[in-house]
Amino acid sequence: MKISALSLILAFLILAVSSQKCKLSTRQRKWKAQLYDDICLANGFKSSLSLCESGDGKLGEVAEVRCKRIHRQLKKCDHTCTDIVDGGWSDFGVWSDCSKRCGGGTRESKRTCTNPAPSNGGEKCEGDDTQTEKCNTNACITEVTYSRDGNWSDFGEWSECTAGCDREGTKTRTRTCTNPAPANGGRECSLIFGGDSMTEGCIGKC
């Protein structure tokens, strides 16, 4: 199988780019930067990294080789000789409103990784940014409704007599079960002392 020149060029470019990528974790970078500062730079290693200053010491051959290797690793990570700052949590803020007015709810408080914020490759804050607690655990009071039995109103006015002049007839009057009306499953008005109407005899008017 023939490999085109373009494929070879692309493969070379991919290899070149990948070789320039930082391969250190945050923790590794922090540890190597500390070695670079305390051993390499302090003992006169000549650095091409930004803001790095060399001391007056002198490195041995083994240390020189090691420092060159660390230098290459840090350069791929765009390291500069500034302090690596790990993130720190702020204080938790005020509690939120409770999710329920009664019967057991929850509320939460938040914090941020800004005290200080991580910089120069420093580690992010560990742990949760939110804390939760129970609130309003008192039992809810259920509104109690009572049944109400009905009671009769007073009788109204008598009706006119049903008969004509000097003849015997009847007249009636009525009442309603509204004093008060039955409610919430209460009983209707009792019929023991009569119903909603009363009838009696009468003599028709002439």
Side-chain angles (χ1 to χ4, degrees):
M1 181 190 298
K2 293 185 178 180
I3 300 175
S4 66
L6 179 59
S7 297
L8 288 174
I9 293 173
L10 288 174
F12 175 78
L13 290 175
I14 293 172
L15 181 62
V17 171
S18 62
S19 65
Q20 295 300 316
K21 290 183 179 180
C22 180
K23 298 180 180 180
L24 300 177
S25 66
T26 300
R27 192 178 298 275
Q28 289 174 327
R29 180 180 171 184
K30 182 180 179 182
W31 172 65
K32 288 184 179 290
Q34 193 66 48
L35 288 177
Y36 191 69
D37 185 60
D38 293 345
I39 297 177
C40 303
L41 297 179
N43 289 284
F45 183 80
K46 303 303 180 184
S47 175
S48 62
L49 300 180
S50 176
L51 303 178
C52 294
E53 297 181 0
S54 300
D56 297 328
K58 187 174 182 180
L59 290 169
E61 291 183 8
V62 175
E64 181 79 19
V65 172
R66 186 180 184 187
C67 287
K68 287 181 178 179
R69 182 168 63 251
I70 295 174
H71 177 85
R72 289 192 297 269
Q73 292 172 328
L74 293 177
K75 188 174 183 179
K76 290 179 181 179
C77 298
D78 296 324
H79 178 75
T80 59
C81 288
T82 55
D83 291 336
I84 295 176
V85 180
D86 293 336
W89 288 114
S90 67
D91 294 332
F92 279 102
V94 297
W95 289 103
S96 65
D97 292 335
C98 192
S99 61
K100 293 183 179 180
R101 297 180 66 181
C102 60
T106 57
R107 63 180 184 174
E108 63 181 28
S109 175
K110 292 183 176 293
R111 60 180 178 175
T112 57
C113 188
T114 55
N115 187 36
S119 61
N120 302 322
E123 296 185 26
K124 297 180 179 179
C125 298
E126 294 183 358
D128 297 326
D129 64 351
T130 304
Q131 63 177 353
T132 304
E133 71 173 13
K134 295 180 179 180
C135 54
N136 291 348
T137 56
N138 54 295
C140 295
I141 300 175
T142 304
E143 183 178 353
V144 179
T145 56
Y146 297 94
S147 63
R148 183 180 66 195
D149 295 339
N151 192 40
W152 291 114
S153 67
D154 294 333
F155 278 103
E157 298 292 330
W158 287 106
S159 67
E160 293 183 2
C161 191
T162 59
C165 179
D166 290 332
R167 289 192 167 190
E168 293 184 358
T170 58
K171 60 181 180 181
T172 61
R173 61 179 181 174
T174 61
R175 60 182 178 176
T176 58
C177 189
T178 56
N179 186 35
N184 302 322
R187 291 176 294 182
E188 295 289 334
C189 293
S190 174
L191 300 178
I192 296 176
F193 301 104
D196 61 354
S197 64
M198 178 185 293
T199 302
E200 66 178 30
C202 60
I203 301 296
K205 293 181 180 180
C206 294

